[in-house]
PDB file of all heavy atoms in Angstrom:
ATOM      1  N   GLU A  73      32.588 -52.333 -44.530  1.00 82.00           N
ATOM      2  CA  GLU A  73      32.895 -53.400 -43.555  1.00 82.00           C
ATOM      3  C   GLU A  73      31.988 -54.607 -43.770  1.00 82.00           C
ATOM      4  O   GLU A  73      32.437 -55.710 -43.945  1.00 82.00           O
ATOM      5  CB  GLU A  73      32.811 -52.874 -42.160  1.00 82.00           C
ATOM      6  CG  GLU A  73      33.167 -53.829 -41.072  1.00 82.00           C
ATOM      7  CD  GLU A  73      34.676 -54.096 -40.948  1.00 82.00           C
ATOM      8  OE1 GLU A  73      35.434 -53.309 -41.554  1.00 82.00           O
ATOM      9  OE2 GLU A  73      34.984 -55.158 -40.419  1.00 82.00           O
ATOM     10  N   ASP A  74      30.689 -54.377 -43.703  1.00 86.00           N
ATOM     11  CA  ASP A  74      29.725 -55.427 -43.936  1.00 86.00           C
ATOM     12  C   ASP A  74      28.363 -54.771 -44.145  1.00 86.00           C
ATOM     13  O   ASP A  74      28.210 -53.548 -44.064  1.00 86.00           O
ATOM     14  CB  ASP A  74      29.653 -56.410 -42.795  1.00 86.00           C
ATOM     15  CG  ASP A  74      29.315 -55.781 -41.452  1.00 86.00           C
ATOM     16  OD1 ASP A  74      28.374 -54.960 -41.401  1.00 86.00           O
ATOM     17  OD2 ASP A  74      29.999 -56.080 -40.445  1.00 86.00           O
ATOM     18  N   PHE A  75      27.377 -55.586 -44.479  1.00 93.00           N
ATOM     19  CA  PHE A  75      26.008 -55.080 -44.726  1.00 93.00           C
ATOM     20  C   PHE A  75      25.051 -55.435 -43.592  1.00 93.00           C
ATOM     21  O   PHE A  75      23.843 -55.496 -43.784  1.00 93.00           O
ATOM     22  CB  PHE A  75      25.486 -55.672 -46.005  1.00 93.00           C
ATOM     23  CG  PHE A  75      26.194 -55.271 -47.285  1.00 93.00           C
ATOM     24  CD1 PHE A  75      26.670 -56.223 -48.172  1.00 93.00           C
ATOM     25  CD2 PHE A  75      26.459 -53.943 -47.491  1.00 93.00           C
ATOM     26  CE1 PHE A  75      27.363 -55.850 -49.296  1.00 93.00           C
ATOM     27  CE2 PHE A  75      27.160 -53.528 -48.636  1.00 93.00           C
ATOM     28  CZ  PHE A  75      27.625 -54.493 -49.557  1.00 93.00           C
ATOM     29  N   GLN A  76      25.566 -55.653 -42.379  1.00 92.00           N
ATOM     30  CA  GLN A  76      24.723 -56.106 -41.297  1.00 92.00           C
ATOM     31  C   GLN A  76      23.678 -55.088 -40.911  1.00 92.00           C
ATOM     32  O   GLN A  76      22.514 -55.411 -40.619  1.00 92.00           O
ATOM     33  CB  GLN A  76      25.576 -56.419 -40.047  1.00 92.00           C
ATOM     34  CG  GLN A  76      24.860 -57.241 -38.992  1.00 92.00           C
ATOM     35  CD  GLN A  76      24.423 -58.639 -39.530  1.00 92.00           C
ATOM     36  OE1 GLN A  76      25.168 -59.302 -40.191  1.00 92.00           O
ATOM     37  NE2 GLN A  76      23.187 -59.029 -39.161  1.00 92.00           N
ATOM     38  N   TYR A  77      24.036 -53.814 -40.967  1.00 94.00           N
ATOM     39  CA  TYR A  77      23.075 -52.766 -40.686  1.00 94.00           C
ATOM     40  C   TYR A  77      21.922 -52.820 -41.689  1.00 94.00           C
ATOM     41  O   TYR A  77      20.755 -52.769 -41.326  1.00 94.00           O
ATOM     42  CB  TYR A  77      23.701 -51.404 -40.766  1.00 94.00           C
ATOM     43  CG  TYR A  77      22.804 -50.219 -40.419  1.00 94.00           C
ATOM     44  CD1 TYR A  77      22.776 -49.651 -39.164  1.00 94.00           C
ATOM     45  CD2 TYR A  77      21.979 -49.677 -41.374  1.00 94.00           C
ATOM     46  CE1 TYR A  77      21.957 -48.598 -38.842  1.00 94.00           C
ATOM     47  CE2 TYR A  77      21.128 -48.636 -41.082  1.00 94.00           C
ATOM     48  CZ  TYR A  77      21.076 -48.120 -39.828  1.00 94.00           C
ATOM     49  OH  TYR A  77      20.252 -47.052 -39.586  1.00 94.00           O
ATOM     50  N   ASP A  78      22.253 -52.945 -42.960  1.00 94.00           N
ATOM     51  CA  ASP A  78      21.247 -52.971 -44.013  1.00 94.00           C
ATOM     52  C   ASP A  78      20.365 -54.199 -43.833  1.00 94.00           C
ATOM     53  O   ASP A  78      19.135 -54.164 -44.049  1.00 94.00           O
ATOM     54  CB  ASP A  78      21.878 -52.962 -45.377  1.00 94.00           C
ATOM     55  CG  ASP A  78      22.706 -51.723 -45.657  1.00 94.00           C
ATOM     56  OD1 ASP A  78      22.166 -50.610 -45.568  1.00 94.00           O
ATOM     57  OD2 ASP A  78      23.921 -51.844 -45.897  1.00 94.00           O
ATOM     58  N   HIS A  79      20.938 -55.347 -43.505  1.00 95.00           N
ATOM     59  CA  HIS A  79      20.183 -56.578 -43.302  1.00 95.00           C
ATOM     60  C   HIS A  79      19.135 -56.407 -42.225  1.00 95.00           C
ATOM     61  O   HIS A  79      17.963 -56.741 -42.426  1.00 95.00           O
ATOM     62  CB  HIS A  79      21.084 -57.773 -42.934  1.00 95.00           C
ATOM     63  CG  HIS A  79      22.086 -58.144 -44.019  1.00 95.00           C
ATOM     64  ND1 HIS A  79      23.123 -58.976 -43.814  1.00 95.00           N
ATOM     65  CD2 HIS A  79      22.179 -57.715 -45.315  1.00 95.00           C
ATOM     66  CE1 HIS A  79      23.821 -59.109 -44.913  1.00 95.00           C
ATOM     67  NE2 HIS A  79      23.269 -58.373 -45.864  1.00 95.00           N
ATOM     68  N   GLU A  80      19.570 -55.861 -41.079  1.00 93.00           N
ATOM     69  CA  GLU A  80      18.642 -55.696 -39.949  1.00 93.00           C
ATOM     70  C   GLU A  80      17.556 -54.627 -40.241  1.00 93.00           C
ATOM     71  O   GLU A  80      16.458 -54.745 -39.770  1.00 93.00           O
ATOM     72  CB  GLU A  80      19.429 -55.414 -38.670  1.00 93.00           C
ATOM     73  CG  GLU A  80      20.258 -56.611 -38.231  1.00 93.00           C
ATOM     74  CD  GLU A  80      20.869 -56.392 -36.851  1.00 93.00           C
ATOM     75  OE1 GLU A  80      20.659 -55.342 -36.266  1.00 93.00           O
ATOM     76  OE2 GLU A  80      21.550 -57.323 -36.334  1.00 93.00           O
ATOM     77  N   ALA A  81      17.991 -53.603 -40.957  1.00 93.00           N
ATOM     78  CA  ALA A  81      17.023 -52.547 -41.315  1.00 93.00           C
ATOM     79  C   ALA A  81      15.955 -53.134 -42.258  1.00 93.00           C
ATOM     80  O   ALA A  81      14.759 -52.776 -42.038  1.00 93.00           O
ATOM     81  CB  ALA A  81      17.721 -51.403 -41.956  1.00 93.00           C
ATOM     82  N   PHE A  82      16.332 -53.935 -43.204  1.00 95.00           N
ATOM     83  CA  PHE A  82      15.435 -54.422 -44.203  1.00 95.00           C
ATOM     84  C   PHE A  82      14.576 -55.574 -43.692  1.00 95.00           C
ATOM     85  O   PHE A  82      13.407 -55.714 -44.031  1.00 95.00           O
ATOM     86  CB  PHE A  82      16.200 -54.887 -45.432  1.00 95.00           C
ATOM     87  CG  PHE A  82      15.360 -55.354 -46.586  1.00 95.00           C
ATOM     88  CD1 PHE A  82      14.613 -54.459 -47.368  1.00 95.00           C
ATOM     89  CD2 PHE A  82      15.304 -56.716 -46.853  1.00 95.00           C
ATOM     90  CE1 PHE A  82      13.838 -54.976 -48.422  1.00 95.00           C
ATOM     91  CE2 PHE A  82      14.530 -57.176 -47.921  1.00 95.00           C
ATOM     92  CZ  PHE A  82      13.766 -56.292 -48.676  1.00 95.00           C
ATOM     93  N   LEU A  83      15.174 -56.444 -42.901  1.00 94.00           N
ATOM     94  CA  LEU A  83      14.475 -57.663 -42.439  1.00 94.00           C
ATOM     95  C   LEU A  83      13.995 -57.585 -40.993  1.00 94.00           C
ATOM     96  O   LEU A  83      13.066 -58.334 -40.645  1.00 94.00           O
ATOM     97  CB  LEU A  83      15.423 -58.839 -42.543  1.00 94.00           C
ATOM     98  CG  LEU A  83      15.884 -59.253 -43.943  1.00 94.00           C
ATOM     99  CD1 LEU A  83      17.032 -60.296 -43.847  1.00 94.00           C
ATOM    100  CD2 LEU A  83      14.720 -59.793 -44.758  1.00 94.00           C
ATOM    101  N   GLY A  84      14.584 -56.711 -40.164  1.00 90.00           N
ATOM    102  CA  GLY A  84      14.333 -56.818 -38.715  1.00 90.00           C
ATOM    103  C   GLY A  84      15.412 -57.682 -38.128  1.00 90.00           C
ATOM    104  O   GLY A  84      15.990 -58.558 -38.751  1.00 90.00           O
ATOM    105  N   LYS A  85      15.684 -57.415 -36.871  1.00 87.00           N
ATOM    106  CA  LYS A  85      16.850 -58.088 -36.236  1.00 87.00           C
ATOM    107  C   LYS A  85      16.694 -59.608 -36.161  1.00 87.00           C
ATOM    108  O   LYS A  85      17.599 -60.354 -36.431  1.00 87.00           O
ATOM    109  CB  LYS A  85      17.063 -57.526 -34.834  1.00 87.00           C
ATOM    110  CG  LYS A  85      17.487 -56.062 -34.796  1.00 87.00           C
ATOM    111  CD  LYS A  85      17.673 -55.527 -33.415  1.00 87.00           C
ATOM    112  CE  LYS A  85      18.072 -54.022 -33.432  1.00 87.00           C
ATOM    113  NZ  LYS A  85      18.218 -53.515 -32.092  1.00 87.00           N
ATOM    114  N   GLU A  86      15.534 -60.083 -35.787  1.00 86.00           N
ATOM    115  CA  GLU A  86      15.294 -61.526 -35.632  1.00 86.00           C
ATOM    116  C   GLU A  86      15.274 -62.245 -36.983  1.00 86.00           C
ATOM    117  O   GLU A  86      15.871 -63.253 -37.147  1.00 86.00           O
ATOM    118  CB  GLU A  86      14.040 -61.799 -34.856  1.00 86.00           C
ATOM    119  CG  GLU A  86      14.069 -61.308 -33.410  1.00 86.00           C
ATOM    120  CD  GLU A  86      15.203 -61.969 -32.656  1.00 86.00           C
ATOM    121  OE1 GLU A  86      15.476 -63.161 -32.791  1.00 86.00           O
ATOM    122  OE2 GLU A  86      15.897 -61.217 -31.887  1.00 86.00           O
ATOM    123  N   GLU A  87      14.606 -61.667 -37.948  1.00 91.00           N
ATOM    124  CA  GLU A  87      14.496 -62.270 -39.222  1.00 91.00           C
ATOM    125  C   GLU A  87      15.848 -62.341 -39.974  1.00 91.00           C
ATOM    126  O   GLU A  87      16.167 -63.273 -40.712  1.00 91.00           O
ATOM    127  CB  GLU A  87      13.481 -61.547 -40.118  1.00 91.00           C
ATOM    128  CG  GLU A  87      13.145 -62.234 -41.446  1.00 91.00           C
ATOM    129  CD  GLU A  87      12.423 -63.518 -41.271  1.00 91.00           C
ATOM    130  OE1 GLU A  87      11.994 -63.826 -40.134  1.00 91.00           O
ATOM    131  OE2 GLU A  87      12.252 -64.258 -42.294  1.00 91.00           O
ATOM    132  N   SER A  88      16.697 -61.316 -39.720  1.00 91.00           N
ATOM    133  CA  SER A  88      18.028 -61.312 -40.356  1.00 91.00           C
ATOM    134  C   SER A  88      18.870 -62.470 -39.896  1.00 91.00           C
ATOM    135  O   SER A  88      19.659 -63.002 -40.622  1.00 91.00           O
ATOM    136  CB  SER A  88      18.751 -59.982 -40.080  1.00 91.00           C
ATOM    137  OG  SER A  88      19.086 -59.877 -38.681  1.00 91.00           O
ATOM    138  N   LYS A  89      18.665 -62.857 -38.641  1.00 91.00           N
ATOM    139  CA  LYS A  89      19.352 -64.010 -38.094  1.00 91.00           C
ATOM    140  C   LYS A  89      18.980 -65.316 -38.810  1.00 91.00           C
ATOM    141  O   LYS A  89      19.788 -66.202 -39.091  1.00 91.00           O
ATOM    142  CB  LYS A  89      19.134 -64.210 -36.610  1.00 91.00           C
ATOM    143  CG  LYS A  89      19.672 -63.053 -35.780  1.00 91.00           C
ATOM    144  CD  LYS A  89      19.284 -63.244 -34.293  1.00 91.00           C
ATOM    145  CE  LYS A  89      19.771 -62.066 -33.426  1.00 91.00           C
ATOM    146  NZ  LYS A  89      19.344 -62.226 -31.997  1.00 91.00           N
ATOM    147  N   THR A  90      17.682 -65.416 -39.201  1.00 92.00           N
ATOM    148  CA  THR A  90      17.202 -66.550 -39.975  1.00 92.00           C
ATOM    149  C   THR A  90      17.869 -66.626 -41.337  1.00 92.00           C
ATOM    150  O   THR A  90      18.313 -67.704 -41.732  1.00 92.00           O
ATOM    151  CB  THR A  90      15.657 -66.482 -40.141  1.00 92.00           C
ATOM    152  OG1 THR A  90      15.028 -66.476 -38.830  1.00 92.00           O
ATOM    153  CG2 THR A  90      15.147 -67.676 -40.930  1.00 92.00           C
ATOM    154  N   PHE A  91      17.956 -65.521 -42.012  1.00 93.00           N
ATOM    155  CA  PHE A  91      18.583 -65.436 -43.344  1.00 93.00           C
ATOM    156  C   PHE A  91      20.067 -65.815 -43.240  1.00 93.00           C
ATOM    157  O   PHE A  91      20.619 -66.377 -44.203  1.00 93.00           O
ATOM    158  CB  PHE A  91      18.405 -64.084 -43.971  1.00 93.00           C
ATOM    159  CG  PHE A  91      17.142 -63.935 -44.745  1.00 93.00           C
ATOM    160  CD1 PHE A  91      15.928 -63.809 -44.101  1.00 93.00           C
ATOM    161  CD2 PHE A  91      17.158 -63.981 -46.153  1.00 93.00           C
ATOM    162  CE1 PHE A  91      14.770 -63.665 -44.836  1.00 93.00           C
ATOM    163  CE2 PHE A  91      15.983 -63.832 -46.867  1.00 93.00           C
ATOM    164  CZ  PHE A  91      14.770 -63.705 -46.202  1.00 93.00           C
ATOM    165  N   ASP A  92      20.688 -65.487 -42.127  1.00 90.00           N
ATOM    166  CA  ASP A  92      22.125 -65.784 -41.996  1.00 90.00           C
ATOM    167  C   ASP A  92      22.405 -67.331 -42.044  1.00 90.00           C
ATOM    168  O   ASP A  92      23.531 -67.743 -42.230  1.00 90.00           O
ATOM    169  CB  ASP A  92      22.675 -65.235 -40.666  1.00 90.00           C
ATOM    170  CG  ASP A  92      22.818 -63.730 -40.710  1.00 90.00           C
ATOM    171  OD1 ASP A  92      22.800 -63.157 -41.833  1.00 90.00           O
ATOM    172  OD2 ASP A  92      22.946 -63.130 -39.638  1.00 90.00           O
ATOM    173  N   GLN A  93      21.347 -68.132 -41.843  1.00 91.00           N
ATOM    174  CA  GLN A  93      21.534 -69.593 -41.840  1.00 91.00           C
ATOM    175  C   GLN A  93      21.165 -70.200 -43.173  1.00 91.00           C
ATOM    176  O   GLN A  93      21.243 -71.425 -43.334  1.00 91.00           O
ATOM    177  CB  GLN A  93      20.662 -70.218 -40.737  1.00 91.00           C
ATOM    178  CG  GLN A  93      20.852 -69.600 -39.357  1.00 91.00           C
ATOM    179  CD  GLN A  93      22.318 -69.635 -38.940  1.00 91.00           C
ATOM    180  OE1 GLN A  93      22.963 -70.682 -39.054  1.00 91.00           O
ATOM    181  NE2 GLN A  93      22.803 -68.536 -38.367  1.00 91.00           N
TER     182      GLN A  93
END
Side-chain angles (χ1 to χ4, degrees):
E73 182 71 18
D74 59 46
F75 295 129
Q76 195 61 42
Y77 181 98
D78 299 303
H79 296 169
E80 292 190 358
F82 182 74
L83 295 169
K85 294 179 182 179
E86 293 304 316
E87 188 68 10
S88 69
K89 295 177 183 177
T90 300
F91 271 76
D92 287 344
Q93 307 305 314

